Amino acid sequence: MSGRFQPLAKTILKNQWVILFSVLAFAAAAIWQTALFTKNQQLEQIRETGESRTTLYTNSLKGTLEKYRHIPYLLSRDTRIHSLLKAHLPPIKVNPHLEDFGIKTDALIFVTDSQGNTVASSNWRSDRSLVGKNFSFRPYFLEALQGKSGGYYAVGLQTRKPGFFISYPVFETGQLLGVVVIKVDLEKLQEIWQESGETIVVSDSHGVLFLSSRPEWKYRSLRPLPAKTIELLRKVQYLQQPLTALEVRRQTTDQGNILILDDVTFLEQSSQLTEYGWRIHYLTNLDPVSKVARQAMAIATVICTTMLLGLLYIRERRQKIMSRREAREAKAIKQLNQLLKLEIEEHQETERTLRHTQKELVQAGKLAALGHMSAAISHELNQPVTAIRTFVASCKIFLEREQSGKVVENLDFIAQLTERMATITGQLKTFARKSKGRRESVDLGRVMSRVLTFTKLQFSDNQVTLSTDLPGDKEVIIKGDSLQLEQVLNNLIHNSLDAMTKSSNKIFHIELKSDAGYAILSCHDSGPGISEKALGFLFDPFYTTKDIGEGLGLGLSISYGIVHEMNGTIQADNHPDGGAVFTLRLPLAETSQQENRERLQ
């Protein structure tokens, strides 16, 4: 054996440098791929988190603004403000009213006349009172003059505090009397953003950041602005703020939009607030991603280095091990042969056990299938056999009375029942798989009448009052198998008769109608109803609420399969007036044809 391994050993020794360089190349590729995979995984997690956080902050900002939207509208209906603007009431009567509103809403509220002059304000006691100030140049005032609700973010001329101004016009008999304005302070929301430790900024249509969790970025723009635009914004909106442009570098990558601000790399995720003309930006610092990638690269490097050192160690030890290996190979092979022999014997024993078990399982399966089939056939044949007995008894009575016409009629019914018994075994396939039977146009009303004729004597024997509500001469045509439908109705009727065995007032009501392209058939009995537990399992095979020996629990399961195969539904409920009600919904013939055409399309 040792002679066969010597050529292989020499080949390995000759190519050891090739193997070494191959291992180094593989290690370098593995380190790079590890870092790249780690980085992509981190970016994917950041994107998912950023999307949810962007939505959260967007909804928070909208919610803060919208909760104040109705206040100017309500105040525009205030009679005191109307009287003030018509000079029927002095400002001293209105200012305290606005002051109360301002305290409760934590906002600044003021009223201007149609020329933009402030005639009342909630801060009338303050040194920075707005009373007497003119705001006709502000966009929110100009929008109110047009009869619309205005909105505008700006730094207050008098208060020197920023906020979002919401305005609403005051009309009376179609004439503009003035404007009600509320100023919403967003600084508290901004402070919450700062405390969160996350980077959130809001920019206007010019790219100016007027809300920011980083104070040093506030009132700076994401792009250089023309001098005229800066001058206008300083005058109308941001007063004497610098409005200088941030040093922004953008990179569009597969991972998303990358921004470099203040030498920090961010992943940008934003959402447009169309109704305000703003955009909210959620920025995620990517330095931790690079750090994690470097850590992964370092770990991969350590692993690859360890593996390389191990290979080098193996290379140095190979000569010594080779001489010892030849001595051990014979012994190892002998031991291996013994282990293989034992393992083969164990496998053979296991295979014999499995074959024996398989035979037992096959036999058990045959017995189970035979039992299920016998139970189903017995259950389904019981109903027509009972009906035949009933008709035979009727024939005897009619013969005694010499009513041969009735006898012939009963014999026809018996013939139909025997034909049905001959096809019942074929129908049982709906219990296990979809029916391959041919569907035909069936008048559901005639099927009901035929079934009720079959079971009329059983109603009489059980002292059950039969109540029907049928569509009269109007046909209710569906696509289905009349014999299967008789089977379903027979099952529902006999279940109801069994349920009313102990009832004092036995009434069975069956109703047929058509509505919205469906035939709706309902059977209502005056029995004890269905328990909550049974409602969930009523159509499961072999589930029954009857005593042992009185039912196998297959009737409703088979009925469910038949109705489902006809594209219909069957539902069991407890009636509000007591008892159980079973409702069948089957598509009318035209509806079924339309559904088939839609499937083909």
Side-chain angles (χ1 to χ4, degrees):
M1 294 294 292
S2 61
R4 287 191 298 171
F5 282 96
Q6 286 179 354
L8 179 60
K10 291 178 181 180
T11 302
I12 293 175
L13 289 173
K14 288 179 181 179
N15 297 302
Q16 58 184 341
W17 289 108
V18 176
I19 295 173
L20 179 60
F21 282 119
S22 299
V23 170
L24 289 174
F26 175 79
I31 292 170
W32 174 254
Q33 289 296 326
T34 300
L36 185 62
F37 175 78
T38 303
K39 182 178 180 181
N40 289 336
Q41 287 293 103
Q42 290 291 314
L43 285 174
E44 184 63 29
Q45 293 178 4
I46 287 174
R47 274 199 302 271
E48 292 178 359
T49 303
E51 288 177 1
S52 62
R53 301 298 290 174
T54 302
T55 302
L56 173 66
Y57 286 119
T58 301
N59 293 335
S60 173
L61 179 57
K62 285 183 178 180
T64 301
L65 295 176
E66 292 303 321
K67 72 179 182 179
Y68 291 96
R69 179 71 67 180
H70 65 287
I71 295 177
Y73 171 78
L74 293 176
L75 290 175
S76 70
R77 298 290 193 267
D78 195 311
T79 56
R80 282 172 285 193
I81 292 177
H82 280 248
S83 299
L84 170 68
L85 293 173
K86 292 189 297 184
H88 295 166
L89 193 69
I92 193 63
K93 298 291 186 179
V94 179
N95 283 329
H97 177 56
L98 297 180
E99 185 178 25
D100 289 340
F101 257 91
I103 292 173
K104 288 182 170 60
T105 59
D106 194 21
L108 174 63
I109 305 171
F110 58 97
V111 180
T112 70
D113 59 17
S114 60
Q115 303 302 316
N117 298 310
T118 304
V119 294
S121 174
S122 62
N123 70 340
W124 64 286
R125 301 179 192 271
S126 171
D127 296 337
R128 296 184 179 273
S129 172
L130 301 183
V131 177
K133 303 298 178 181
N134 186 280
F135 297 100
S136 60
F137 64 94
R138 286 290 175 108
Y140 60 79
F141 178 80
L142 299 176
E143 290 181 2
L145 287 182
Q146 299 175 11
K148 300 183 295 184
S149 174
Y152 192 68
Y153 184 91
V155 178
L157 289 176
Q158 186 69 10
T159 62
R160 299 293 172 175
K161 294 182 179 180
F164 185 70
F165 294 83
I166 304 173
S167 63
Y168 200 86
V170 180
F171 282 102
E172 185 171 302
T173 64
Q175 180 182 0
L176 178 69
L177 299 180
V179 178
V180 177
V181 185
I182 180 170
K183 179 183 178 183
V184 182
D185 185 7
L186 297 178
E187 294 301 304
K188 292 183 179 179
L189 179 63
Q190 187 175 240
E191 291 173 2
I192 294 174
W193 292 356
Q194 293 173 1
E195 292 173 358
S196 70
E198 298 179 299
T199 305
I200 310 102
V201 294
V202 181
S203 62
D204 62 12
S205 58
H206 299 285
V208 176
L209 306 181
F210 59 91
L211 289 176
S212 173
S213 61
R214 292 200 174 194
E216 66 272 17
W217 293 353
K218 193 171 183 181
Y219 301 123
R220 300 187 68 182
S221 62
L222 294 174
R223 58 180 180 272
L225 299 176
K228 291 184 178 180
T229 302
I230 293 176
E231 182 180 356
L232 178 63
L233 292 176
R234 285 177 177 174
K235 181 179 179 181
V236 176
Q237 188 171 8
Y238 297 115
L239 298 186
Q240 299 305 315
Q241 298 298 334
L243 303 183
T244 56
L246 288 167
E247 293 185 5
V248 181
R249 284 178 290 166
R250 295 180 180 271
Q251 297 177 2
T252 302
T253 67
D254 294 338
Q255 287 77 24
N257 195 28
I258 305 298
L259 297 184
I260 302 176
L261 292 170
D262 292 343
D263 296 326
V264 180
T265 305
F266 297 94
L267 176 66
E268 179 192 28
Q269 292 170 284
S270 62
S271 175
Q272 185 72 33
L273 284 77
T274 307
E275 61 269 37
Y276 303 103
W278 302 344
R279 179 173 286 276
I280 185 168
H281 309 259
Y282 182 82
L283 306 179
T284 306
N285 192 336
L286 296 182
D287 288 344
V289 175
S290 301
K291 183 178 179 181
V292 172
R294 288 193 297 270
Q295 290 176 349
M297 184 178 293
I299 293 172
T301 302
V302 170
I303 293 174
C304 291
T305 303
T306 302
M307 293 174 62
L308 180 60
L309 291 175
L311 290 174
L312 292 174
Y313 175 77
I314 293 172
R315 175 179 169 274
E316 294 297 327
R317 295 276 299 173
R318 187 178 299 277
Q319 295 297 332
K320 296 179 181 179
I321 295 173
M322 193 69 69
S323 59
R324 297 174 185 174
R325 181 181 298 173
E326 293 180 356
R328 294 196 299 266
E329 281 177 354
K331 183 179 179 181
I333 291 174
K334 182 179 180 180
Q335 292 176 347
L336 180 60
N337 288 335
Q338 292 176 348
L339 291 174
L340 287 175
K341 184 178 179 181
L342 291 174
E343 187 173 352
I344 290 171
E345 291 176 354
E346 290 177 358
H347 279 298
Q348 290 175 344
E349 181 62 27
T350 302
E351 186 177 358
R352 286 192 294 270
T353 304
L354 286 175
R355 287 178 179 175
H356 179 70
T357 305
Q358 185 180 18
K359 290 179 180 179
E360 292 183 350
L361 288 174
V362 170
Q363 184 62 23
K366 290 179 179 179
L367 293 174
L370 181 59
H372 291 172
M373 185 180 296
S374 300
I377 293 173
S378 175
H379 178 84
E380 294 304 322
L381 292 180
N382 184 54
Q383 294 179 357
V385 167
T386 302
I388 289 173
R389 289 174 181 170
T390 302
F391 282 116
V392 168
S394 300
C395 285
K396 292 179 180 180
I397 296 174
F398 291 143
L399 286 173
E400 292 175 357
R401 297 177 181 176
E402 296 183 355
Q403 296 178 347
S404 59
K406 296 289 186 178
V407 173
V408 172
E409 182 179 347
N410 282 5
L411 289 175
D412 289 339
F413 283 130
I414 291 173
Q416 294 177 14
L417 289 172
T418 57
E419 290 177 3
R420 178 186 172 192
M421 292 170 65
T423 56
I424 278 178
T425 54
Q427 296 174 26
L428 290 175
K429 62 185 178 181
T430 58
F431 174 66
R433 58 187 174 87
K434 290 186 177 180
S435 174
K436 301 296 182 180
R438 187 176 179 182
R439 295 185 188 176
E440 298 177 348
S441 296
V442 178
D443 184 357
L444 193 55
R446 288 188 178 182
V447 173
M448 279 183 53
S449 299
R450 191 158 53 247
V451 172
L452 292 176
T453 302
F454 292 158
T455 57
K456 186 174 182 181
L457 189 58
Q458 297 178 46
F459 281 106
S460 177
D461 291 343
N462 288 277
Q463 298 180 347
V464 175
T465 301
L466 175 62
S467 171
T468 60
D469 187 357
L470 303 178
D473 296 335
K474 182 180 178 181
E475 293 183 340
V476 181
I477 306 299
I478 65 169
K479 285 289 185 180
D481 187 315
S482 60
L483 191 58
Q484 290 181 339
L485 290 170
E486 289 182 20
Q487 182 179 350
V488 173
L489 294 177
N490 265 314
N491 186 271
L492 294 179
I493 290 173
H494 283 87
N495 283 348
S496 296
L497 292 176
D498 292 341
M500 292 186 291
T501 301
K502 299 180 181 180
S503 299
S504 57
N505 185 21
K506 301 178 181 180
I507 299 175
F508 180 81
H509 178 73
I510 186 167
E511 178 183 0
L512 175 63
K513 62 182 180 180
S514 57
D515 181 36
Y518 281 87
I520 303 174
L521 188 148
S522 61
C523 300
H524 174 211
D525 62 59
S526 60
I530 308 169
S531 66
E532 291 295 328
K533 177 181 178 182
L535 279 173
F537 305 96
L538 206 58
F539 297 102
D540 290 351
F542 303 105
Y543 181 84
T544 179
T545 58
K546 299 178 181 179
D547 294 335
I548 296 175
E550 294 185 5
L552 296 174
L554 288 173
L556 288 177
S557 179
I558 294 175
S559 299
Y560 178 87
I562 292 172
V563 174
H564 183 73
E565 184 66 24
M566 295 181 187
N567 297 324
T569 61
I570 180 170
Q571 183 177 350
D573 293 294
N574 286 313
H575 198 276
D577 297 333
V581 57
F582 286 83
T583 305
L584 275 71
R585 289 174 60 88
L586 294 166
L588 296 174
E590 294 181 358
T591 305
S592 299
Q593 294 174 2
Q594 179 65 24
E595 290 178 353
N596 291 333
R597 287 196 295 268
E598 291 176 355
R599 287 198 194 97
L600 293 175
Q601 291 174 355

